[in-house]
């Protein structure tokens, strides 16, 4: 399998990875950390997908997609931290005043897991942020050690995968997801 990572500009491909099976379902669409809480609660059903479709046409796009040939097989959300709820999050600390970018969701479609897609997505998200002038990129993965993680909650990524990508531990957080503490990992892009 050869994985190619590209900016998420094709909405139908984003839908293939993030969208619901039923058009009216209220799935995350990776908006929870991207938009204010009030708007996140107001957007229901198809309106969530329509919002993401607009993001796909914006600069920067809302993240990156991994492809196996022409098939979208994974997603990573990445944006300037200042444009996300992490800018105000009390559980995820600010290390310094650097205008970092955040990488907060890594998702691989069933049938494509355990094939290196998440590693390609992390590397692609780093390149995406670097290409847009990010001085550093942060992630807030689970520090699960060798413990098993429920796949629905593994979207934050795993510490060991970010370490493999060159990220280093920057700070503890008070955030816990699926029973596992999250840590702040950072990669300097300067």
């Amino acid at each position: 399998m050869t994985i190619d990572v590209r900016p998420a500009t094709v909405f139908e491909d984003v839908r293939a990875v993030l969208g619901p099976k039923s058009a009216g379902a209220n799935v995350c669409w990776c908006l929870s950390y991207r938009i204010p809480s009030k708007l996140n609660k107001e957007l229901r059903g198809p309106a969530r997908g329509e919002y993401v479709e607009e993001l796909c046409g914006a600069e920067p796009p809302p993240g990156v997609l991994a492809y196996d040939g022409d098939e979208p097989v994974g997603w990573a959300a990445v944006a300037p931290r200042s444009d996300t709820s992490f800018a105000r999050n009390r559980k995820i600390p600010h290390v310094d005043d650097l205008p970092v970018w955040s990488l907060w969701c890594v998702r691989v479609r069933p049938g494509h897991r355990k094939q290196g897609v998440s590693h390609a997505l992390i590397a692609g998200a780093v390149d995406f942020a670097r290409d847009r002038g990010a001085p550093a990129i942060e992630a807030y993965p689970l520090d699960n050690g060798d413990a098993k993680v429920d796949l629905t909650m593994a979207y934050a990524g795993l510490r060991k995968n970010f370490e493999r990508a060159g990220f280093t531990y920057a700070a503890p957080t008070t955030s816990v997801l699926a029973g596992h503490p999250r840590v702040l990992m950072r990669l300097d892009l300067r």
Side-chain angles (χ1 to χ4, degrees), residues 27-109:
V27 298
C28 179
W29 279 103
C30 214
L31 291 173
S32 301
Y33 296 110
R34 184 178 301 278
I35 60 178
S37 181
K38 183 179 181 204
L39 178 58
N40 192 40
K41 289 175 184 164
E42 290 171 1
L43 289 176
R44 310 298 296 163
R48 295 182 72 74
E50 291 165 8
Y51 192 92
V52 172
E53 186 170 15
E54 287 180 29
L55 292 174
C56 289
E59 181 53 46
V64 295
L65 289 166
Y67 291 85
D68 180 9
D70 291 329
E71 181 184 9
V73 297
W75 155 265
V78 59
R81 182 174 173 152
S82 61
D83 293 347
T84 71
S85 65
F86 294 111
R88 302 168 302 285
N89 192 307
R90 292 186 196 127
K91 294 183 177 191
I92 308 284
H94 288 257
V95 175
D96 52 35
D97 291 332
L98 205 59
V100 300
W101 282 47
S102 294
L103 166 55
W104 68 91
C105 179
V106 178
R107 181 169 178 171
V108 179
R109 291 175 77 185

Side-chain angles (χ1 to χ4, degrees), residues 26 142 168:
N26 285 314
L142 303 177
T168 56

Side-chain angles (χ1 to χ4, degrees), residues 148-170:
K148 194 161 180 72
V149 175
D150 177 346
L151 286 179
T152 60
M153 301 310 282
Y155 71 86
L158 306 177
R159 178 178 178 163
K160 66 182 177 185
N161 290 347
F162 285 94
E163 286 174 339
R164 279 188 206 140
F167 284 68
T168 56
Y169 175 87

